[in-house]
Amino acid sequence: MNKIGKWLDRRLHYVFTIPTILFVLGMVLFPIIYTFVLSFHSWRLSANIPWEFVGLQNYIKLFSESRFPIAVWRTFFFAFLALFIEVILGISIALYLNRTFFGKNLVKTAFLLPMVATPVAIGMVWKLIYEPNIGILNAVIRGMGGPKIDWLGNSDIALYSLIVVDIWQWTPFVMLIILAGLTSIPTDPFESAMIDGANRWQTLTKITLPLLRPTIFTAVLLRLIDALKTFDIIYSMTQGGPGFATETMNILSFRQAFEFMQFGQSGATLVLFFFVVMSMAALTIKLKSKTEVDF
């Protein structure tokens, strides 16, 4: 008994963490395994209709539909365009805030406010802003002599309107990461560049951005995963419409499950979506590791 007590005493920090680890693993692994198994079955959320094993039928049906590849393309288009602009703006704002000026803390707080609000609340507010008749955006355009624009009802521009909302909300997140990276950069290279007579553009392109590459990749990785998974803003503003103009993989899976009661096919969509997100994350991590080694 004494030996057991000593063994537990030496490993007490592991023993106390086991319940938390098991809980987290259960919360993560169970939905993944459940969805994977569901993707090989047919089920319509009814106690009277049991699961029916259909093999790869859900996947075959998914690839035979025209909506799926378009939803995949739309998911990537939304994520990459939003991410590209967020990174550019995030770096620019971080560089602007990385200096001393009056009211700096107030400005920084103002930039962070969009990130604090919930996506659904932001979606509702922007839906009012985009409203073609009483929305403030159209009021400004009409005041300048422009036409009335149906920002969310026009299938040609609805997706771009949603991208603007995502950029508005998540650019501060990228800015925060880049700003943290800027504060950790040593001052020696900048002092040497100043002595050598380098101008601001040369200092930015030759010193600041190369030193920020690991930080930028971290911001890209976190935002890429989150942008691919975007659901709240899209569903709260357009529900994937008009028609299917803003239907991403997440929205498609939701519609398959809760509108058409095709839970097996929805599971197949989510499984493929999971592998897409994991592949993009793995690719970004690999590029980040190569960049760190080369640098």
Side-chain angles (χ1 to χ4, degrees):
M1 188 68 180
N2 191 29
K3 290 183 179 180
I4 295 175
K6 289 181 179 180
W7 185 87
L8 285 173
D9 188 57
R10 288 195 301 268
R11 295 165 177 80
L12 200 59
H13 54 293
Y14 295 115
V15 173
F16 280 118
T17 57
I18 287 175
T20 304
I21 294 172
L22 292 176
F23 176 77
V24 172
L25 287 176
M27 291 293 291
V28 173
L29 291 179
F30 174 75
I32 294 174
I33 295 173
Y34 183 88
T35 305
F36 182 75
V37 173
L38 179 63
S39 68
F40 295 100
H41 291 77
S42 175
W43 184 50
R44 292 187 176 273
L45 195 64
S46 173
N48 299 323
I49 304 176
W51 285 29
E52 179 185 355
F53 181 76
V54 294
L56 295 175
Q57 184 177 331
N58 287 324
Y59 292 93
I60 295 171
K61 185 178 179 182
L62 198 61
F63 282 103
S64 64
E65 291 184 355
S66 59
R67 286 172 62 184
F68 177 71
I70 297 174
V72 173
W73 175 87
R74 200 176 288 119
T75 302
F76 279 103
F77 181 79
F78 178 95
F80 281 101
L81 182 57
L83 176 65
F84 176 76
I85 299 175
E86 286 166 9
V87 170
I88 298 298
L89 291 178
I91 293 173
S92 303
I93 298 171
L95 290 170
Y96 171 76
L97 294 177
N98 190 40
R99 58 191 182 91
T100 304
F101 59 91
F102 178 76
K104 176 181 177 178
N105 291 333
L106 183 62
V107 174
K108 190 187 298 184
T109 303
F111 274 117
L112 293 177
L113 286 177
M115 193 175 64
V116 177
T118 59
V120 173
I122 288 175
M124 293 293 99
V125 171
W126 274 91
K127 194 172 183 178
L128 289 174
I129 293 174
Y130 281 144
E131 215 285 326
N133 297 311
I134 62 172
I136 188 172
L137 186 56
N138 270 343
V140 172
I141 293 175
R142 285 197 302 269
M144 299 171 63
K148 182 177 75 173
I149 302 174
D150 192 357
W151 298 98
L152 299 178
N154 187 334
S155 59
D156 294 328
I157 62 173
L159 188 63
Y160 295 98
S161 301
L162 295 177
I163 290 173
V164 169
V165 179
D166 190 83
I167 292 168
W168 179 84
Q169 183 182 15
W170 293 112
T171 294
F173 178 78
V174 178
M175 176 210 73
L176 204 61
I177 296 176
I178 301 300
L179 195 57
L182 285 170
T183 57
S184 64
I185 293 178
T187 58
D188 295 344
F190 298 98
E191 293 172 357
S192 301
M194 188 181 299
I195 294 172
D196 293 337
N199 56 37
R200 289 185 178 181
W201 178 251
Q202 290 172 330
T203 303
L204 174 65
T205 56
K206 302 297 183 182
I207 298 176
T208 306
L209 292 180
L211 288 174
L212 276 176
R213 276 189 294 183
T215 306
I216 294 173
F217 267 105
T218 300
V220 167
L221 174 62
L222 295 175
R223 272 305 301 143
L224 176 61
I225 295 174
D226 206 35
L228 287 169
K229 297 188 301 178
T230 301
F231 175 83
D232 313 65
I233 287 176
I234 299 175
Y235 191 78
S236 63
M237 294 182 69
T238 65
Q239 293 83 45
F244 309 121
T246 59
E247 188 179 69
T248 60
M249 292 181 72
N250 260 339
I251 300 296
L252 174 61
S253 175
F254 181 86
R255 281 180 158 179
Q256 288 169 336
F258 298 104
E259 288 186 18
F260 305 113
M261 295 300 169
Q262 298 173 346
F263 285 90
Q265 196 169 354
S266 175
T269 304
L270 288 176
V271 169
L272 293 174
F273 182 58
F274 173 78
F275 283 111
V276 166
V277 173
M278 293 302 294
S279 300
M280 295 306 303
L283 179 62
T284 307
I285 292 172
K286 189 172 183 178
L287 290 173
K288 181 177 182 290
S289 63
K290 283 187 176 181
T291 301
E292 289 176 343
V293 171
D294 293 341
F295 186 73

